[in-house]
Amino acid sequence: MTQQNMITVIVDGKEVQVPAGTSAIDAVFQAGRDVPYFCSQQYLSPIGACRMCLVEAGTPRKNPDGSWILDDEGNKKIFYFPKPMASCTLGASDGMVIKSQTDSVKKAQAGMMEFTLINHPLDCPTCDKGGACELQDRAFEYGYGVSRFQFDRRHAEKHYELSEFVILDQERCIHCKRCVRYFEEIPNQEVLDFIERGGHTFIDTLEGGLPSNFSGNITDICPVGALLDNVARFRGRNWEYEHTSTTCTACPVGCSITVDSRNGRLERIVGRDNPEVNEQWLCDAGRFGHPYVDEDRLTQPLVKVNGEFQPATWEQAIAAIKTGLQGVPAQSIGFYTKADITLEEGIALESFVKQIGTPNVDHAPRYGVVVNAPAATLTDVATADAVVVIGADLTEEAPVVDLRIQEMLKGGILPQQYDFGTAIADLRLTERMHRHRERLAVFYPTRTRMHDVAGIAAEMNSVQVLEHLSSVVSGQYAGGAIEEAASLLKNAKKPVIVLGSDVLKGGQIGLDIAAHIALSVNAKVLPIPADANGFGLSRLEIVPQNGADLSSMGTLKAALVSRVTKIPEDFAGFLVVHETQLTEVARRANVVLPALTNYEKRGTTVNLEGRLLKLDPAAISSGESADLITALGAVAEALDLKAPIRGQRSAQKALKDRFGVDVANLPEQGLIADLGRQYNARTSRFHRPEVGMWKEVMLRSKRLKEKLGGETHASVAD
Amino acid sequence: MLYFADKQDLVQDIFSRYPETERGRRSALMPLLREVQNAFGYVPEENIEEIASLLGTTATEVKSVMSFYSTYHTIPTGKYHLQVCATLSCAIAGSDELWDHLVDELHIQQGEVTPDGLFSIQKVECLGSCGTAPMMQINDEGYHECVSKKRIRLLLEKFRRGEKFDPDILPPIPIREGQQELANGLPAGGVATTIPSLVEGEA
């Protein structure tokens, strides 16, 4: 909590210091007391719609001469509001007295609860919200337990599919307006609203569905069972789930998530508050793209005998690897992994390839470039006064960055942090805030969602944009959007340049120009890595300095490939594939080792800001699946070697020695640390980045494939 | 059917009444809805989308605003749209009986139009003439006060014959030289409500 312009508020007799401008509800929470609420949400504007947070409040007043009006005992007389006040929309003032536990407050809150429940269908025993209902909890805690309203409840449409992922039950809606405010205030898409008024009001859309980028967040924030996650619906009750706090690795943003598993299956993913990264939001792919984790999982190693896979034990698999690698020189073995592995797995891979002395190692996808400019954080993006996006379709490549830019457009107000967490009702946030579109410039070869919200936008080739921008920054004239973007950057105090795949895949030259621009205008740069841990893995020596990269794999005699989606056709050597499912690549393998998904791993990932974030394993049953450290251990055993890193602890110790960061004890919100030099190597065209929110692997489900058009969004043409 | 496609001057005229900002532009929502309703008697779905695209907002947003006001209709109305005030004062003075009488007389319910296309009925929120309840508004053409069964019969007969039936209170017309006037030239709000001459004892 910041220590400036503090005021004193007395909550239930306890004095508490809060920053001026704090809402009464936050003052109450800061004092360690509780107030029930439905309509307030940390990142949405407070509106006082549900009237649940009623408290008694009063302030001292002054005489015309400036002295305080005193009571009979000589203390400042408190003038109470005549009725209980909604504390979410009431600003706390110096000397304010708030009573949150009096009989009158309890009666008011219980009365409000009774009123809210007049028309609520009371589906509780069968409601598919599954016990994750704030209304249920609050009714139990604050309600009368009986109702004086004995009449037929209003009935409305039940179980109405708003989109593939979100189900609406109009009957259960208590009109808190969270979903309506969310769509307008967070992704800036006014697709839900109240229709009709008074007792007839219901929530609906006329847009023929919800846009498939950030719609799932409304299922998290709905305080009742009105908006439901269609993927997790009817899977389990809230108390049956095992909740695991971890990090999403679907894209490089690294959103904080809670993975809910039940009976060994991943049933639900919900957003977790991390004000530094995703606040509380997730993209739809990160939230709903998980069903593949439980589908057709490999649970034990497979060994190919006479062209057919046979289930095997790890010992048999190691024996098969030993046979396969017999006589193969270390120089002819390659190690290739997907770039979303943990930092622990990365350092294990680095030390292992060094041990056996092979130069053939790589992680994919990655861009063979180095960014030599000050790095921006997501908070920098959200609080910038100018953002220039070049070559990035943010909504697809790193969706939550899109939301942080939307936050920037609203003036970059980050909700205040208190001892209890993020402010419940930050009064600086209001409905329909003015958006400073002139602070955003977007350049991409084709039209993106960000083009529609930017004041300056053009559909242009990214390298061309960089070259022109660079020349304008250096004093030449280019005209049009480029000229405007350049002056936006030059006049800004905290500018940020976001670089996406279309720049990064173009090679080092674009990056050098971008660095020149950034240094000239004193801007920070946020490049979007090609995969979840691209940032972290680039700080390890697992790129082919002198060896074969993935496209040259055909020259090798053997290889271990971990979760890479495509390998060259001409590879004819001995192949060990470490995979979660029997993919196209896995089918070509001689030995398949079952792999863990990132939801099941313990370790550390580094997001696009360079923030180290924790991965914790959810209770998902995947048989004998193992992480890359174990898979490398198996290869080491087959080679009669003892790998230097054989487990989490040794990997974490190695990381501590290497980076000076104790990754075993990372703070909940992650930690930005200097990870030193970036290792780089050329990439062939084979490493064309996989952009698109819905990764290929998430589209395993036929239903999803059909609904989402059957393919991932392709990157712009080379 | 697009309504504003060939009426760019009208659209510009409406927009010119508001500030040239995103918010200002949104203010044009109500007059645009009114234009469409005046033309078709209701606002069809495609015109909701048309207005949304003119304003740079979503159809949901337009529908939300529109559905808040009982004055806009999403379904076709009759040539004479009879709006019965159903709020407290009128309810006490018998608006429910008035409504039932209209339903019986016209054989329609809310949302329906008589086969001859002449009449439709709607219950509306307070029309602001509590002193002369029960009261009714026909189209946008003014108030009929202290409405009795006999008065209804007279009204319907006149309309069926195609004759004009003057309301008791005319709607105010826009301010001219600082004075808001009724269509008959009297100053708006300046004179006491005239008790309708057609009330003849029967309730």
Side-chain angles (χ1 to χ4, degrees):
Chain A
M1 196 169 52
T2 50
Q3 294 296 315
Q4 46 193 345
N5 299 324
M6 300 300 274
I7 56 168
T8 304
V9 182
I10 300 142
V11 181
D12 298 330
K14 182 184 173 186
E15 269 195 22
V16 60
Q17 300 272 317
V18 291
T22 298
S23 59
I25 196 171
D26 286 319
V28 174
F29 278 96
Q30 183 68 3
R33 308 311 289 250
D34 190 23
V35 177
Y37 62 90
F38 295 123
C39 65
S40 286
Q41 206 284 339
Q42 285 93 320
Y43 296 98
L44 302 179
S45 59
I47 52 162
C50 73
R51 319 303 291 178
M52 256 323 271
C53 60
L54 297 172
V55 294
E56 280 188 78
T59 49
R61 277 188 207 158
K62 284 180 176 172
N63 287 307
D65 65 0
S67 63
W68 290 104
I69 299 177
L70 304 176
D71 60 15
D72 298 343
E73 290 162 8
N75 299 319
K76 281 181 198 168
K77 187 175 176 185
I78 303 300
F79 291 82
Y80 285 94
F81 286 99
K83 300 229 167 135
M85 298 292 288
S87 55
C88 66
T89 44
L90 176 68
S93 59
D94 202 19
M96 180 179 263
V97 175
I98 300 170
K99 293 178 184 174
S100 72
Q101 311 278 321
T102 62
D103 287 345
S104 127
V105 166
K106 283 179 187 163
K107 182 169 180 259
Q109 289 173 351
M112 246 353 275
M113 180 54 77
E114 190 183 12
F115 184 65
T116 303
L117 291 174
I118 288 180
N119 280 309
H120 196 72
L122 302 182
D123 288 342
C124 307
T126 54
C127 174
D128 28 347
K129 185 73 171 175
C133 174
E134 290 173 39
L135 182 65
Q136 189 183 38
D137 298 346
R138 298 305 195 186
F140 182 76
E141 209 172 345
Y142 294 93
Y144 280 134
V146 287
S147 174
R148 287 167 289 177
F149 300 102
Q150 303 295 335
F151 50 77
D152 281 347
R153 287 161 201 282
R154 184 183 67 164
H155 289 291
E157 199 155 0
K158 272 192 116 60
H159 302 159
Y160 155 45
E161 211 165 82
L162 276 181
S163 76
E164 171 61 15
F165 305 113
V166 181
I167 291 274
L168 170 65
D169 188 321
Q170 290 174 343
E171 235 175 42
R172 295 178 187 156
C173 176
I174 58 165
H175 304 166
C176 69
K177 213 184 175 191
R178 276 190 190 176
C179 54
V180 175
R181 281 179 290 150
Y182 163 78
F183 267 116
E184 195 276 320
E185 293 173 21
I186 307 298
N188 193 5
Q189 296 164 321
E190 292 178 70
V191 292
L192 268 190
D193 215 331
F194 282 145
I195 312 286
E196 292 295 338
R197 69 166 171 179
H200 306 288
T201 306
F202 61 92
I203 295 283
D204 205 357
T205 177
L206 250 65
E207 311 306 312
L210 302 177
S212 71
N213 293 328
F214 306 103
S215 67
N217 292 318
I218 56 173
T219 64
D220 266 5
I221 61 175
C222 179
V224 293
L227 291 160
L228 294 155
D229 175 338
N230 204 7
V231 178
R233 219 171 138 231
F234 294 126
R235 294 303 183 104
R237 302 256 142 195
N238 206 40
W239 55 86
E240 296 174 322
Y241 289 136
E242 190 127 351
H243 306 291
T244 309
S245 300
T246 183
T247 303
C248 177
T249 54
C251 84
V253 176
C255 297
S256 293
I257 53 170
T258 299
V259 173
D260 290 343
S261 54
R262 175 176 175 260
N263 291 348
R265 288 175 64 86
L266 199 181
E267 302 290 28
R268 182 171 73 176
I269 289 179
V270 294
R272 192 158 53 85
D273 191 20
N274 186 346
E276 310 271 319
V277 183
N278 56 320
E279 302 196 312
Q280 208 172 71
W281 315 121
L282 297 182
C283 68
D284 281 359
R287 178 187 301 273
F288 300 120
H290 61 77
Y292 78 92
V293 171
D294 296 314
E295 279 174 24
D296 308 321
R297 276 297 287 276
L298 291 173
T299 53
Q300 65 182 113
L302 301 174
V303 174
K304 201 176 260 175
V305 180
N306 300 327
E308 292 289 321
F309 279 124
Q310 287 185 354
T313 60
W314 273 83
E315 286 71 25
Q316 289 166 332
I318 291 166
I321 297 171
K322 188 169 193 163
T323 315
L325 293 183
Q326 213 126 48
V328 178
Q331 296 284 329
S332 293
I333 310 178
F335 292 85
Y336 303 100
T337 175
K338 183 163 157 57
D340 69 350
I341 57 169
T342 64
L343 218 47
E344 284 82 352
E345 290 173 307
I347 201 157
L349 177 62
E350 182 196 74
S351 66
F352 184 65
V353 294
K354 277 188 180 160
Q355 183 189 13
I356 66 168
T358 176
N360 313 315
V361 62
D362 204 357
H363 60 282
R366 67 177 174 86
Y367 306 112
V369 292
V370 178
V371 187
N372 292 314
T377 62
L378 288 168
T379 305
D380 287 332
V381 172
T383 55
D385 54 357
V387 172
V388 177
V389 179
I390 305 169
D393 184 352
L394 283 178
T395 321
E396 299 292 339
E397 283 177 56
V400 167
V401 181
D402 170 335
L403 299 187
R404 299 310 297 263
I405 290 183
Q406 300 288 348
E407 196 171 20
M408 180 279 290
L409 292 175
K410 290 198 297 172
I413 298 172
L414 304 180
Q416 193 89 34
Q417 294 298 312
Y418 292 92
D419 299 343
F420 64 86
T422 309
I424 307 291
D426 194 317
L427 294 167
R428 295 168 302 164
L429 299 171
T430 55
E431 280 194 270
R432 297 197 187 287
M433 285 176 83
H434 174 69
R435 290 196 162 80
H436 300 275
R437 293 173 193 274
E438 71 285 355
R439 292 185 185 173
L440 177 64
V442 175
F443 300 97
Y444 196 68
T446 53
R447 198 163 182 81
T448 68
R449 185 176 112 85
M450 299 306 279
H451 279 76
D452 297 335
V453 294
I456 306 163
E459 291 163 46
M460 282 178 78
N461 175 288
S462 302
V463 175
Q464 208 180 346
V465 172
L466 283 167
E467 283 169 353
H468 286 186
L469 207 52
S470 168
S471 59
V472 180
V473 167
S474 308
Q476 290 170 37
Y477 178 77
I482 299 281
E483 191 80 28
E484 287 175 46
S487 70
L488 176 67
L489 282 173
K490 280 196 274 192
N491 297 328
K493 289 195 178 79
K494 295 183 292 178
V496 171
I497 301 171
V498 181
L499 300 174
S501 62
D502 199 46
V503 172
L504 297 160
K505 74 179 183 189
Q508 191 58 40
I509 180 79
L511 269 289
D512 291 342
I513 303 172
H516 166 246
I517 299 167
L519 293 174
S520 314
V521 296
N522 212 7
K524 289 184 176 176
V525 174
L526 184 75
I528 315 284
D531 208 342
N533 197 12
F535 190 106
L537 299 181
S538 69
R539 267 64 185 177
L540 295 168
E541 220 178 320
I542 48 174
V543 286
Q545 300 290 4
N546 302 305
D549 72 354
L550 203 47
S551 60
S552 325
M553 215 177 123
T555 59
L556 303 176
K557 291 201 168 69
L560 168 76
V561 172
S562 178
R563 295 171 42 252
V564 171
T565 46
K566 264 186 191 163
I567 58 168
E569 289 298 321
D570 62 350
F571 177 77
F574 183 73
L575 181 64
V576 181
V577 170
H578 180 231
E579 250 301 357
T580 52
Q581 273 104 347
L582 208 53
T583 59
E584 209 177 295
V585 175
R587 284 200 184 87
R588 291 176 58 186
N590 297 89
V591 177
V592 180
L593 301 174
L596 292 177
T597 64
N598 279 356
Y599 300 110
E600 300 147 61
K601 283 183 196 168
R602 187 181 302 283
T604 312
T605 186
V606 187
N607 80 345
L608 77 179
E609 311 165 277
R611 184 186 301 275
L612 283 84
L613 293 154
K614 264 198 301 192
L615 288 181
D616 268 321
I620 299 167
S621 72
S622 53
E624 296 168 26
S625 298
D627 62 4
L628 185 61
I629 302 181
T630 311
L632 289 170
V635 177
E637 206 176 321
L639 293 171
D640 290 328
L641 292 170
K642 192 177 172 190
I645 291 173
R646 292 185 302 282
Q648 277 296 312
R649 201 172 286 189
S650 48
Q652 287 175 342
K653 187 178 174 305
L655 288 172
K656 193 171 182 181
D657 294 343
R658 175 71 158 274
F659 299 125
V661 185
D662 182 9
V663 291
N665 293 304
L666 287 174
E668 197 66 4
Q669 298 189 346
L671 176 77
I672 293 187
D674 182 11
L675 299 184
R677 70 166 282 210
Q678 185 181 350
Y679 292 90
N680 188 30
R682 68 181 172 81
T683 53
S684 57
R685 286 169 67 86
F686 182 77
H687 294 295
R688 187 162 171 236
E690 185 186 6
V691 297
M693 213 169 61
W694 291 91
K695 308 286 186 235
E696 192 69 48
V697 67
M698 295 175 180
L699 295 172
R700 255 171 220 286
S701 140
K702 265 186 199 158
R703 196 172 76 142
L704 212 54
K705 219 167 196 172
E706 281 163 16
K707 289 279 177 185
L708 296 175
E711 3 181 294
T712 48
H713 302 265
S715 161
V716 237
D718 292 58
Chain B
M1 181 178 25
L2 291 181
Y3 179 74
F4 295 105
D6 56 351
K7 299 183 181 61
Q8 283 315 303
D9 290 348
L10 175 67
V11 173
Q12 286 318 312
D13 175 45
I14 291 173
F15 280 146
S16 71
R17 300 174 204 166
Y18 304 101
E20 279 182 44
T21 59
E22 265 176 60
R23 286 182 174 205
R25 184 163 269 234
R26 297 172 80 100
S27 307
L29 172 54
M30 301 281 261
L32 290 174
L33 284 171
R34 175 54 62 191
E35 278 296 331
V36 176
Q37 179 149 310
N38 287 347
F40 303 127
Y42 74 112
V43 186
E45 196 106 319
E46 64 257 36
N47 296 104
I48 292 181
E49 277 163 26
E50 185 188 9
I51 291 172
S53 68
L54 282 172
L55 297 173
T57 180
T58 56
T60 307
E61 167 75 8
V62 175
K63 179 73 182 281
S64 168
V65 173
M66 179 185 154
S67 65
F68 184 84
Y69 298 96
S70 55
T71 181
Y72 298 117
H73 314 301
T74 46
I75 40 177
T77 54
K79 185 176 175 193
Y80 302 102
H81 185 59
L82 317 181
Q83 299 150 72
V84 177
C85 172
T87 317
L88 190 62
S89 298
C90 287
I92 292 171
S95 67
D96 281 351
E97 288 80 1
L98 172 61
W99 176 263
D100 290 344
H101 182 67
L102 273 176
V103 169
D104 286 347
E105 195 75 12
L106 297 170
H107 300 294
I108 50 168
Q109 277 290 356
Q110 182 150 322
E112 295 170 347
V113 182
T114 51
D116 54 11
L118 278 183
F119 301 106
S120 55
I121 53 175
Q122 184 187 12
K123 275 188 185 177
V124 294
E125 299 302 323
C126 185
L127 290 169
S129 189
C130 305
T132 54
M135 60 88 59
M136 206 166 81
Q137 182 179 346
I138 296 174
N139 298 340
D140 295 329
E141 283 149 22
Y143 288 177
H144 298 263
E145 303 177 309
C146 300
V147 187
S148 61
K149 284 182 186 170
K150 182 175 179 184
R151 199 163 149 73
I152 293 249
R153 198 172 58 243
L154 284 168
L155 264 171
L156 298 182
E157 278 168 10
K158 279 215 165 193
F159 284 140
R160 281 184 180 128
R161 287 199 299 270
E163 290 172 24
K164 195 168 158 31
F165 194 101
D166 288 333
D168 305 321
I169 295 183
L170 292 163
I173 53 171
I175 296 168
R176 294 212 176 102
E177 293 166 5
Q179 177 64 54
Q180 199 172 11
E181 290 177 347
L182 301 178
N184 60 8
L186 291 170
V191 289
T193 310
T194 45
I195 298 298
S197 57
L198 280 161
V199 179
E200 287 167 16
E202 190 199 330

